Amino acid sequence: MPLFFLLIKLLGDSMNKSTKKLSHMLFSKLTKKIRFGAVVVCAGALPCVGAEIKGESEILDLINPRPTNIVLERVGEGSAVLRAMFTSAPNQEVLHVFVEGEPVPFFDDGKKFDSRAGDGEFTAEVPFDFELFAQANQTLAETRRKNSERPLFAAGTRQKIGTQSFTEMGDGLLIDSQMDDSEASVLLPFNDSQLRLGERLSINFTGLPLGTISPSSSLLPTDPARSLMITDLSVVSDPTRTWACRRAGLPPMGNATGSWTFWTLMANVANGSASTSDYIKHLFKHWASLQTVNNFGVPARPNVYQQIIEQWEMRSGGPGVSLDPRQSPFRLLGIVLRADLRSDGSATYGGGDAGEGRFVFALHDGECHSERMTLIMEYKVPIDGCENVRDWAIKWKNLANSTQYNDDLASLTDVFASAGAAPSRPNQSAIGQVRTNELLAGSPFWELREFFLPDAGGFLAQTTVKQEPDNGHNNTGLLAKYVNSEWPNLVGPPAAQHLVPDSFLGQDFLAGAAPAPTLWDAPNSLLTVPTTPSPISPPPATIRDDALFQLALNTCSGCHTVETNTNFAHLDYGTPAGTPAILSGFLTGISLLDPRDGALTRSFDDLARRADDLDILAASSCTRSSARVPTGNLVLHALTAPAPQRSPH
């Protein structure tokens, strides 16, 4: 079997733990080799494969570098030269960009169209349809008439670095980019004759795909409150679908077995493998005794089982009885779409091609007094294929204007949350993971845990928390070695493409639970990461600063505390009953000082980022299934498209 297709197989939903370790190892090696332009791809002791890497472009498009600048020059009626500055490329003569599984070479050898060898600017002569490019610019202008400003985020990251505005000017679309430390603009032509032979067009931004026509079927900008982070009381207190809290001191009301209740969602995950009561009890037994996860001991927190299950039993009739859904202590805080986590073939989360759908619950005492815990059920959306995923995005955008909102929302959540939603997966459930944030009375610190369905199905089992090294490795030589080896993936661009492995240099590495708060750092004297200016953050940020920042931000403990100034939950578990969930500044917009270097400011506005991503997804060009598009247009599209997200949260 060719290595590429072996890799795709290894990265499938049915991987066991040992297979996942192998696939992560392979992907890490492939990433480093392909990203920096090796002509032949090798993976450890496995044979080199080169030309066998074809088709299934998602995994290859993931590891394309993102240039800091692109120059388009017309050199013939149907040909162009693309010049791209890759700050992350080492000194070499050739770098490959993959489009639809095919490598396109870019040269930095000082020959032909390349002006100077070794200057980091790579050049490719490619077939190019300038009329198609101009038509695509007209379509982009049309889609931006009602959404004339978008946030700018560093490629692959959740760090906001500026804004971008769109203005139609005569025969072109003017795009102005305002960054923290600079500004740039480009006028995209509406007529192919505007780009004459020998003229160069400098495209000084990424994250907005150019070059091919996208459909303009969904022109209104995404409404985050109606399409992405749905917390409106008419939804979370839907009397037919939720078991809702009106106010503290009163028992819940509504439908205790409604389709959006914790009880029914757990019943759907169990899908007949056990009674719903036993299934829920089994989940919370994990806190009652020591758990061993990735060879790390995760100490018991027995008060969790006592406060949730034993008190639920008492309200249901006494010790050991079956749980009564009418006594459930979980209230719905929000329904969340994470289309930005759509699969690229290697994502830590988002294993369904259309990303994730989530239900966020908060714990209460049975009479709607808030307890310090949230529980998130995160589903892999079982939809694939470009047109299908694009249609999925359009449906969520159009949901905002629905006259039967809850019914239409329910039809969308049924796609991933209903029993049997994913026939080929364990328990036929689309559940990806269940994650908890907890600091109940008697617990010594905040802690995050994660649970998944084993390949054989049955009960949920505790697993590692992704992208988080064990806390014992913080500020150690081993963590410094990890950052030293992974900084090209941490910083990119695109940034945050690293994968924290189960083990590193022969030591167990990925954590079994995430205590918080944690300030992630490494001894500066042991770091060899360059201290030159960062390609993804404004001055005075260095590559070293951003390597540590991206490591920390993408841990569960960092994102939920010191890196984002969040009180552990992005949807506040302490939100008073009968009011919409309070959202963190990380979601709604915040700027704060970097906790490791007070001279640096980090900005976040994640709901705006997700909305922009959904707008782009809903206008996907889906070139693979359309009429043949010249290679040059596809290359431009690949280099300007948003970098994939590998965030676990």
Side-chain angles (χ1 to χ4, degrees):
M1 178 183 294
L3 176 59
F4 175 73
F5 294 107
L6 171 63
L7 183 60
I8 292 295
K9 180 177 184 296
L10 292 175
L11 288 167
D13 287 336
S14 60
M15 292 187 295
N16 58 32
K17 184 176 181 181
S18 61
T19 303
K20 285 182 179 178
K21 285 185 178 181
L22 176 59
S23 68
H24 293 166
M25 175 191 72
L26 291 175
F27 186 78
S28 178
K29 292 179 182 292
L30 285 170
T31 298
K32 293 175 185 176
K33 296 292 185 182
I34 300 175
R35 170 178 292 155
F36 298 132
V39 175
V40 179
V41 178
C42 305
L46 294 172
C48 298
V49 294
E52 291 181 345
I53 300 181
K54 295 181 179 180
E56 297 300 330
S57 65
E58 290 81 1
I59 192 170
L60 298 176
D61 288 342
L62 161 73
I63 52 183
N64 278 333
R66 288 306 190 271
T68 54
N69 189 66
I70 303 169
V71 176
L72 171 65
E73 179 184 354
R74 188 172 195 156
V75 296
E77 285 307 306
S79 62
V81 166
L82 288 172
R83 294 178 171 86
M85 181 65 70
F86 294 104
T87 58
S88 60
N91 295 325
Q92 61 190 55
E93 290 189 351
V94 62
L95 180 152
H96 285 81
V97 172
F98 287 86
V99 292
E100 301 191 349
E102 299 291 342
V104 177
F106 277 67
F107 298 95
D108 186 17
D109 56 4
K111 300 176 183 178
K112 202 173 181 181
F113 290 104
D114 188 64
S115 58
R116 188 174 64 184
D119 63 356
E121 183 181 75
F122 289 76
T123 303
E125 184 180 5
V126 288
F128 199 88
D129 187 333
F130 289 91
E131 184 176 357
L132 177 64
F133 174 60
Q135 291 173 356
N137 296 337
Q138 294 176 38
T139 303
L140 175 62
E142 183 180 359
T143 61
R144 288 292 165 180
R145 282 174 188 153
K146 295 184 179 180
N147 193 14
S148 60
E149 186 172 282
R150 67 184 287 257
L152 280 180
F153 294 85
T157 80
R158 305 170 85 170
Q159 181 185 359
K160 185 178 179 181
I161 58 173
T163 58
Q164 198 169 70
S165 62
F166 302 82
T167 307
E168 293 182 54
M169 297 186 63
D171 289 332
L173 176 65
L174 179 66
I175 303 180
D176 280 315
S177 301
Q178 301 286 333
M179 280 78 74
D180 292 340
D181 64 324
S182 62
E183 60 181 276
S185 62
V186 60
L187 184 64
L188 297 177
F190 289 161
N191 191 309
D192 68 301
S193 63
Q194 293 171 261
L195 265 181
R196 293 183 287 270
L197 287 176
E199 286 194 352
R200 297 184 179 186
L201 177 66
S202 180
I203 301 169
N204 41 37
F205 62 87
T206 59
L208 191 66
L210 303 176
T212 63
I213 293 178
S214 302
S216 55
S217 58
S218 186
L219 301 180
L220 291 175
T222 293
D223 181 348
R226 300 274 287 176
S227 297
L228 292 173
M229 180 70 65
I230 303 164
T231 61
D232 191 273
L233 291 181
S234 66
V235 173
V236 299
S237 300
D238 184 318
T240 64
R241 297 181 176 93
T242 72
W243 192 229
C245 284
R246 294 166 292 175
R247 65 175 185 268
L250 295 177
M253 64 177 297
N255 182 354
T257 57
S259 58
W260 293 338
T261 61
F262 175 68
W263 180 271
T264 293
L265 292 173
M266 287 291 283
N268 292 345
V269 174
N271 201 19
S273 61
S275 71
T276 306
S277 175
D278 288 345
Y279 205 79
I280 293 171
K281 288 182 180 182
H282 188 276
L283 172 64
F284 289 101
K285 283 181 180 177
H286 287 90
W287 281 269
S289 60
L290 174 72
Q291 303 294 313
T292 301
V293 182
N294 197 28
N295 296 317
F296 291 111
V298 181
R301 295 160 76 95
N303 286 327
V304 174
Y305 190 83
Q306 293 169 2
Q307 291 186 52
I308 297 175
I309 298 302
E310 291 185 2
Q311 290 185 23
W312 192 345
E313 288 177 340
M314 293 304 295
R315 294 193 301 272
S316 299
V321 303
S322 293
L323 301 175
D324 183 346
R326 294 170 297 178
Q327 303 302 326
S328 172
F330 289 99
R331 63 183 174 109
L332 182 64
L333 282 183
I335 297 175
V336 182
L337 176 69
R338 292 300 307 273
D340 61 310
L341 296 181
R342 53 193 174 274
S343 178
D344 50 43
S346 67
T348 306
Y349 287 94
D353 281 356
E356 287 189 353
R358 297 179 172 182
F359 290 86
V360 184
F361 293 92
L363 182 69
H364 62 86
D365 65 354
E367 293 190 348
C368 296
H369 296 99
S370 297
E371 302 278 9
R372 290 182 291 184
M373 182 178 190
T374 55
L375 181 148
I376 312 174
M377 302 187 72
E378 303 176 346
Y379 298 83
K380 302 173 187 289
V381 178
I383 294 175
D384 58 17
C386 182
E387 291 93 344
N388 295 331
V389 175
R390 180 179 64 199
D391 291 346
W392 174 251
I394 291 173
K395 288 177 181 177
W396 281 88
K397 279 176 62 80
N398 291 342
L399 179 66
N401 300 311
S402 170
T403 57
Q404 302 179 79
Y405 186 86
N406 286 17
D407 290 341
D408 289 341
L409 176 59
S411 69
L412 292 173
T413 60
D414 283 348
V415 170
F416 55 81
S418 61
S424 64
R425 302 197 71 242
N427 289 8
Q428 297 187 356
S429 171
I431 193 71
Q433 56 279 331
V434 174
R435 292 193 294 136
T436 61
N437 309 341
E438 171 266 320
L439 180 58
L440 294 180
S443 296
F445 45 77
W446 277 111
E447 185 183 71
L448 300 101
R449 294 194 182 196
E450 183 172 327
F451 304 85
F452 80 119
L453 272 179
D455 291 346
F459 291 107
L460 289 161
Q462 190 166 338
T463 186
T464 50
V465 286
K466 306 306 182 289
Q467 297 295 69
E468 172 127 0
D470 184 76
N471 192 257
H473 296 313
N474 190 21
N475 219 0
T476 66
L478 184 67
L479 190 65
K481 290 179 180 178
Y482 176 77
V483 176
N484 290 339
S485 67
E486 285 296 307
W487 72 260
N489 291 330
L490 285 161
V491 179
Q497 302 300 297
H498 64 293
L499 181 71
V500 176
D502 286 355
S503 62
F504 180 68
L505 296 181
Q507 296 191 48
D508 297 318
F509 199 62
L510 190 62
T518 301
L519 175 62
W520 289 96
D521 208 348
N524 192 60
S525 62
L526 300 179
L527 290 171
T528 59
V529 181
T531 56
T532 51
S534 170
I536 61 170
S537 296
T542 67
I543 292 175
R544 184 175 298 186
D545 291 326
D546 275 355
L548 290 169
F549 168 67
Q550 291 299 333
L551 172 71
L553 178 64
N554 284 279
T555 63
C556 297
S557 59
C559 179
H560 281 261
T561 52
V562 294
E563 302 300 326
T564 62
N565 194 32
T566 298
N567 186 24
F568 206 70
H570 293 298
L571 280 76
D572 192 345
Y573 53 87
T575 299
T579 60
I582 300 170
L583 305 182
S584 69
F586 172 76
L587 292 173
T588 60
I590 191 173
S591 294
L592 54 134
L593 299 181
D594 186 301
R596 282 164 298 279
D597 185 345
L600 304 176
T601 299
R602 306 293 187 181
S603 297
F604 307 100
D605 194 353
D606 212 55
L607 285 179
R609 181 191 63 80
R610 298 180 198 179
D612 183 67
D613 177 83
L614 193 66
D615 287 338
I616 292 173
L617 178 59
S620 298
S621 61
C622 296
T623 54
R624 295 181 68 191
S625 59
S626 62
R628 183 63 185 168
V629 177
T631 300
N633 297 73
L634 295 177
V635 171
L636 182 60
H637 188 274
L639 292 179
T640 54
Q645 284 289 320
R646 292 170 62 87
S647 306
H649 32 66

